[in-house]
Amino acid sequence: MPGSRLTDPATLQATHAALAQRVARDRDQQAFVELYDYYAPRLTGMLMRQGVARDLAEDIAQDTMTTLWHKAGLFDASRASLSTWLYRIARNRRIDLHRRLGTQVAEPSSWLAEMAQDLGNDAETGLDEGRRQAGIAALVKALPQEQGLMVQLAFYEGLTHAAIAERTRLPLGTVKSRLRLAFVRLRRAFDDSGWARE
Amino acid sequence: MIPAMTSTPRDALLAGYAAGSLTPALQALVAAHLHMRPDNRAFVDALDDEMGTVLAMAPQAPCRHRDDNLARIFTSADPAVAAPARDTVFPAPLRAFLGFDAKDVRWRFLLPGVKCHVIAREATGAATLYKIRPGRKMPFHTHDGNETTLVLQGSFADNHGTYEAGDLAFADPAVNHRPVAGSEGECLCFAVTDAPLRLTGRLGRFFESLQQRPRAI
């Protein structure tokens, strides 16, 4: 999608990190509104593309942005970009809702507590600057076409194996073995790239 | 050049976790694995980061209630976050998923030397905790679906290798294995299947009939 990136990603992330810092330090509502106007429609859009119904997608986006307002102090720009941080919160929230709506689980714990634990993990494990700039996208592009397609469907579009089988009209067993191979190849490319080295 | 690991479902599982497309039980299993062991964190972090980039460039769905939503956020109370429990046997993400720690599991008899606790059966995927006596040999069994097991404590071994705390073990319908718990202590596992396991030996079929009973309750 050339031309759709009006601002280069690094500049955008630096701007957003600075706004998040103002939210954390000064409780700056204007800074928050800027982030809200950028991310709330995109969170909703991304979730809807992953098959989440609009009302639910909006709720998850709202919960995610509420978390940003209260917990911006937990965001560490040296560990992850703000969009990655927000993505993880939204993902966890979606899973948590899926679990609660789908089944009865004894004593569901607070999703915020889970999220905080997750963020604690991130603080220990986040990628450093150099590794983050390198990115997975280039490795995906270098995959053979058939495997690139599998990564596109399973990862970028977040489809289940059954949904991929339906989309590609391949037997489920074939989908599973192609997926395994595609992600093994991606993983090997990642490990070989040297970004994974501790 | 490409060893037997070619067919491991591990990396696809990690990608599914990053994409958030696994069942809640499997999401919790992978989160617990990442919590216990560092080996796969860098890969998942890179995948998460790619998703962050996708989010930053995602198509926009216009907010229908922007001003109301903002007002709600600014008037909402700061949610207190409970400090993560310390000194728990279960890693934090698993404990959060279950809502309890190892001491509060309501174990059921499965086989002599093997206890289990079925956590969820439907929307979350069938998830089971197992507690296996040191040195206990499990009956031969196969799987109708795929089974992913995270070792929480102790270890077990089968003809593919030895799995220790934090390790992931995969079994698919082609695997007919006979895991043996390590002799150093009780083996505690969290297993998620997309179909029930099938015991294959003569004894296995007998115990399978026992295993069916709790499901009916």
Side-chain angles (χ1 to χ4, degrees):
Chain A
M1 289 174 285
S4 68
R5 300 189 176 195
L6 299 177
T7 314
D8 95 272
T11 310
L12 187 79
Q13 294 292 356
T15 306
H16 289 172
L19 289 168
Q21 203 188 2
R22 278 165 56 194
V23 172
R25 201 184 46 207
D26 312 323
R27 309 304 291 145
D28 185 330
Q29 295 198 354
Q30 203 186 326
F32 180 80
V33 169
E34 273 191 57
L35 290 173
Y36 182 93
D37 284 338
Y38 191 88
Y39 282 109
R42 287 178 170 84
L43 281 163
T44 307
M46 185 171 177
L47 288 160
M48 286 172 68
R49 274 183 69 170
Q50 291 180 332
V52 179
R54 178 161 191 176
D55 284 352
L56 191 57
E58 286 182 338
D59 285 350
I60 294 168
Q62 176 75 1
D63 291 340
T64 304
M65 297 312 290
T66 305
T67 302
L68 172 63
W69 172 243
H70 290 295
K71 303 296 176 197
L74 295 174
F75 166 66
D76 179 351
S78 71
R79 298 289 182 178
S81 65
L82 185 68
S83 64
T84 299
W85 193 75
L86 291 172
Y87 167 73
R88 285 176 172 148
I89 293 171
R91 175 185 64 201
N92 292 357
R93 181 61 175 148
R94 178 159 73 92
I95 298 297
D96 196 65
L97 284 172
H98 177 171
R99 172 160 63 105
R100 293 210 194 160
L101 298 174
T103 190
Q104 299 296 320
V105 173
E107 196 192 330
S109 55
S110 143
W111 70 274
L112 257 172
E114 285 175 51
M115 190 210 75
Q117 281 162 358
D118 231 47
L119 296 172
N121 258 352
D122 296 345
E124 293 161 21
T125 66
L127 293 175
D128 64 37
E129 200 70 32
R131 277 193 259 158
R132 273 204 274 130
Q133 281 168 1
I136 279 281
L139 301 178
V140 174
K141 278 198 192 107
L143 288 175
Q145 194 182 0
E146 181 183 285
Q147 291 164 13
L149 175 67
M150 287 292 139
V151 173
Q152 173 65 32
L153 297 174
F155 177 63
Y156 286 102
E157 299 188 28
L159 297 181
T160 62
H161 295 182
I164 294 170
E166 201 173 306
R167 178 88 71 90
T168 57
R169 300 183 178 202
L170 290 168
L172 190 59
T174 308
V175 166
K176 284 184 178 174
S177 57
R178 283 194 190 178
L179 276 171
R180 284 184 185 190
L181 184 63
F183 284 105
V184 164
R185 291 283 280 271
L186 181 64
R187 173 64 183 268
R188 190 171 301 123
F190 176 77
D191 288 346
D192 289 350
S193 71
W195 308 333
R197 253 170 244 139
E198 294 301 323
Chain B
M1 201 55 208
I2 299 172
M5 286 300 276
T6 300
S7 63
T8 180
R10 180 196 65 192
D11 300 317
L13 181 77
L14 297 172
Y17 168 80
S21 63
L22 309 175
T23 61
L26 262 182
Q27 290 283 146
L29 183 148
V30 175
H33 162 70
L34 294 170
H35 187 92
M36 293 175 81
R37 291 279 297 273
D39 331 21
N40 292 312
R41 286 181 199 158
F43 183 54
V44 172
D45 281 346
L47 292 170
D48 282 358
D49 211 61
E50 176 62 4
M51 279 309 205
T53 304
V54 170
L55 170 60
M57 303 300 156
Q60 301 182 57
C63 283
R64 290 182 293 187
H65 315 286
R66 173 185 180 273
D67 295 350
D68 284 355
N69 286 348
L70 281 166
R72 277 200 290 141
I73 289 172
F74 290 137
T75 55
S76 63
D78 185 353
V81 175
R86 298 282 167 201
D87 303 324
T88 58
V89 174
F90 294 158
L94 181 62
R95 195 180 180 286
F97 172 76
L98 296 172
F100 52 81
D101 196 36
K103 65 177 170 30
D104 298 316
V105 179
R106 287 157 56 198
W107 295 108
R108 279 177 192 276
F109 171 87
L110 176 63
L111 302 162
V114 185
K115 290 176 179 171
C116 75
H117 175 79
V118 178
I119 294 114
R121 288 160 198 173
E122 278 143 37
T124 60
T128 310
L129 287 163
Y130 291 101
K131 184 159 79 169
I132 308 157
R133 197 174 62 202
R136 174 74 170 91
K137 272 190 182 134
M138 297 285 278
F140 277 109
H141 64 276
T142 57
H143 304 261
D144 285 332
N146 295 288
E147 181 184 58
T148 308
T149 302
L150 172 67
V151 182
L152 300 167
Q153 210 174 52
S155 69
F156 76 84
D158 64 14
N159 45 334
H160 298 280
T162 301
Y163 307 90
E164 297 177 341
D167 282 347
L168 294 173
F170 300 97
D172 64 26
V175 175
N176 183 355
H177 64 160
R178 184 170 201 193
V180 184
S183 57
E184 74 281 4
E186 268 180 346
C187 177
L188 205 55
C189 293
F190 179 58
V192 178
T193 42
D194 50 19
L197 90 171
R198 235 170 341 111
L199 305 176
T200 40
R202 194 153 38 99
L203 205 60
R205 278 192 294 277
F206 169 70
F207 284 117
E208 190 176 36
S209 68
L210 290 180
Q211 196 204 0
Q212 297 304 326
R213 236 178 275 161
R215 288 169 188 273
I217 294 170

